[in-house]
């Protein structure tokens, strides 16, 4: 068993180790969000009409609106598979994929902050959750207003 205290530990060394570990975890969270958006793109259609044309080829799979208006529809079977790999319930997996789709297709400024590593994934997902029920114009307005400041504004201020 590892001793709780190592005589060679220093406060600054331990805090630096925590900082490094947090940075790795935060990047991993962004990487999962980016992968979710890419996964959804592989299993999506742009319209209900396109979904209807696929019905005979999908063996009962449905295309779901996991994000707000104007975002692609995502395969329900793919969402279930994604949730399983993520280790979450189907509902939580759909919500996660929906956040990724909302960010990639409707919140382009916020999404750019995820891609450049300057925004924490949980903050981006919170914004996505708050904009999902907005029409496309309102979501674009929110995106433009908050995109540059999302890394430092408080989530409570995002809900109005």
């Amino acid at each position: 068993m590892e001793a709780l205290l190592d005589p060679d530990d220093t406060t600054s060394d331990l805090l630096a180790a925590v900082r490094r570990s947090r940075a790795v975890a935060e990047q991993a969270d962004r990487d999962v969000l980016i992968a979710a958006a890419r996964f959804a793109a592989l299993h999506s259609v742009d319209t209900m009409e396109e979904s209807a044309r696929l019905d005979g080829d999908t063996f009962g799979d449905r295309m779901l609106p996991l994000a707000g208006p104007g975002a692609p529809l995502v395969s329900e079977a793919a969402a279930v598979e994604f949730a399983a790999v993520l280790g979450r319930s189907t509902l939580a997996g759909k919500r996660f994929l929906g956040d990724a789709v909302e960010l990639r297709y409707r919140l382009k400024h916020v999404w750019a902050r995820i891609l450049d590593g300057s925004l924490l994934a949980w903050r981006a997902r919170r914004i996505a959750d708050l904009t999902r029920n907005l029409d496309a114009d309102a979501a674009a307005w929110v995106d433009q207003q908050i995109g540059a400041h999302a890394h430092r504004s408080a989530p409570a201020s995002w809900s109005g």
Side-chain angles (χ1 to χ4, degrees):
M1 184 171 184
E2 183 180 347
L4 183 58
L5 294 176
D6 183 330
D8 295 329
D9 283 342
T10 67
T11 298
S12 60
D13 290 342
L14 292 171
L15 292 176
V18 169
R19 253 187 236 101
R20 284 190 305 273
S21 294
R22 286 299 318 139
V24 168
E26 290 164 0
Q27 186 57 50
D29 289 344
R30 280 189 290 273
D31 290 345
V32 171
L33 191 58
I34 292 165
R38 294 172 78 182
F39 181 83
L42 288 175
H43 301 281
S44 66
V45 296
D46 291 329
T47 65
M48 289 300 265
E49 292 77 25
E50 193 176 350
S51 174
R53 282 193 300 270
L54 292 175
D55 275 347
D57 300 330
T58 59
F59 303 102
D61 190 11
R62 296 182 306 157
M63 303 306 281
L64 305 174
L66 299 180
L73 306 171
V74 179
S75 158
E76 184 174 32
V80 169
E81 182 179 14
F82 184 84
V85 170
L86 201 56
R88 297 189 182 179
S89 69
T90 298
L91 183 62
K94 287 178 183 178
R95 173 74 57 185
F96 194 99
L97 275 179
D99 290 345
V101 171
E102 179 77 5
L103 288 160
R104 182 175 184 185
Y105 293 95
R106 292 181 14 114
L107 302 172
K108 294 181 185 295
H109 291 95
V110 177
W111 183 244
R113 303 292 305 280
I114 285 294
L115 295 176
D116 73 15
S118 63
L119 181 61
L120 297 172
W122 73 265
R123 284 183 179 267
R125 291 192 63 214
R126 178 72 174 121
I127 296 167
D129 184 54
L130 293 169
T131 61
R132 184 177 282 112
N133 293 322
L134 299 178
D135 67 37
D137 290 337
W141 184 86
V142 170
D143 180 44
Q144 200 160 37
Q145 297 302 308
I146 203 164
H149 310 287
H151 67 290
R152 64 176 181 243
S153 57
S157 69
W158 301 338
S159 60

